[in-house]
Amino acid sequence: FNSNAPVSVSAIHNGLECVKAKMKLSVLQDNKHTDEEKENRLKQIDIEIHQTEETMRHDLEYRGLLQHP
């Protein structure tokens, strides 16, 4: 692992989409919460993943490690 290795925009996006899908699946399989609670959590996951992606892209851009396709 090299923390200073260049990273592509698509690699960040695809990796976070995978994480998001797993998080959402976990929510949908949870039988302890109401449908409304689940819907709210699914929306929150979308927001959190978007914020994470933006933060990662800005950090990598700042360090000169972000590769654009």
Side-chain angles (χ1 to χ4, degrees), residues 2-5 11 14 18 21-23 25 33-34 36 41 43 46 49-51 53 55 58-59 61 64 67-68:
N2 180 356
S3 62
N4 291 320
N14 291 339
C18 181
K22 289 180 180 188
M23 291 172 71
L25 181 60
H33 296 91
T34 65
E36 183 178 336
R41 181 61 188 133
K43 289 177 186 175
D46 283 332
I49 293 295
H50 177 74
Q51 291 171 339
E53 183 172 0
T55 300
H58 288 295
D59 178 61
E61 218 166 42
Q67 292 179 341
H68 296 278

Side-chain angles (χ1 to χ4, degrees), residues 32-56:
K32 298 177 187 173
H33 296 91
T34 65
D35 287 345
E36 183 178 336
E37 290 171 325
K38 289 179 184 181
E39 187 62 36
N40 288 335
R41 181 61 188 133
L42 293 173
K43 289 177 186 175
Q44 187 62 35
I45 289 169
D46 283 332
I47 292 167
E48 292 170 1
I49 293 295
H50 177 74
Q51 291 171 339
T52 300
E53 183 172 0
E54 289 298 310
T55 300
M56 289 176 73

